[in-house]
Amino acid sequence: MLSLRSQRVIAALAGWLFGSVMLLGAVQAINPVTQLSCALGLASLVTSVVVTRRLPAGAIERWAHILNRAMVLVFVGFFILAMFLGGSAGNGGVREDGTYYLRNHEQRTEVSARTYYMAGAVEVLLIALWPAGMVVIFRHNMREESPRDLA
């Protein structure tokens, strides 16, 4: 088992790496679904770090359980939706002729605008929810191990 200090260092490095990737995606991505996902993911990461530093242990425990379930539900929903529809909106896009498509690797699946935006909304929710969930669950686990260090 890693020491509490090692866990904090790994969490900080992972947070910086994840935040850097999200910032790059928000600024450099061509697809607007990917840009929005990355911008909201970055905001979610920063907000969750700031908020969890001020929340009491009981509130963090409740949010950790809620977010844990929500993360699993959204991930399973995204996975099933992507498999059923044939791809994701973050990899897809809109052609110049106005047709919408989802993409999974090199396979493109033409879909309606409503389906494209629904798939995009689930993808944005997934990418925006996971950073907050990871931070809250990590903070909850750290409090369980050493409540004096984080109080």
Side-chain angles (χ1 to χ4, degrees):
M1 185 69 159
L2 292 173
S3 69
L4 187 60
R5 182 178 174 96
S6 298
Q7 289 178 17
R8 286 182 176 172
V9 168
I10 291 170
L13 291 174
W16 277 106
L17 178 64
F18 192 78
S20 300
V21 169
M22 287 289 165
L23 181 61
L24 184 64
V27 174
Q28 294 287 330
I30 296 170
N31 187 320
V33 172
T34 304
Q35 284 181 324
L36 178 62
S37 297
C38 290
L40 289 176
L42 183 59
S44 171
L45 177 69
V46 171
T47 302
S48 62
V49 167
V50 171
V51 168
T52 56
R53 295 192 57 81
R54 301 187 184 335
L55 284 177
I60 287 181
E61 182 177 0
R62 282 190 302 278
W63 277 107
H65 291 298
I66 291 168
L67 287 172
N68 189 17
R69 288 176 178 84
M71 288 166 60
V72 170
L73 181 67
V74 170
F75 179 76
V76 169
F78 170 75
F79 181 76
I80 291 170
L81 195 64
M83 296 307 278
F84 178 72
L85 295 176
S88 69
N91 290 332
V94 183
R95 291 193 184 111
E96 290 179 15
D97 63 356
T99 58
Y100 294 84
Y101 67 94
L102 304 176
R103 195 170 88 189
N104 182 14
H105 300 287
E106 295 303 317
Q107 175 190 350
R108 291 183 180 192
T109 305
E110 223 172 274
V111 294
S112 68
R114 178 178 282 176
T115 302
Y116 175 79
Y117 288 116
M118 180 200 51
V122 171
E123 191 166 340
V124 167
L125 181 62
L126 173 76
I127 294 175
L129 179 66
W130 272 74
M134 289 186 297
V135 168
V136 171
I137 291 168
F138 178 76
R139 298 274 303 165
H140 169 66
N141 290 341
M142 285 179 57
R143 283 184 186 263
E144 281 184 350
E145 288 182 17
S146 180
R148 286 190 322 266
D149 292 342
L150 296 174

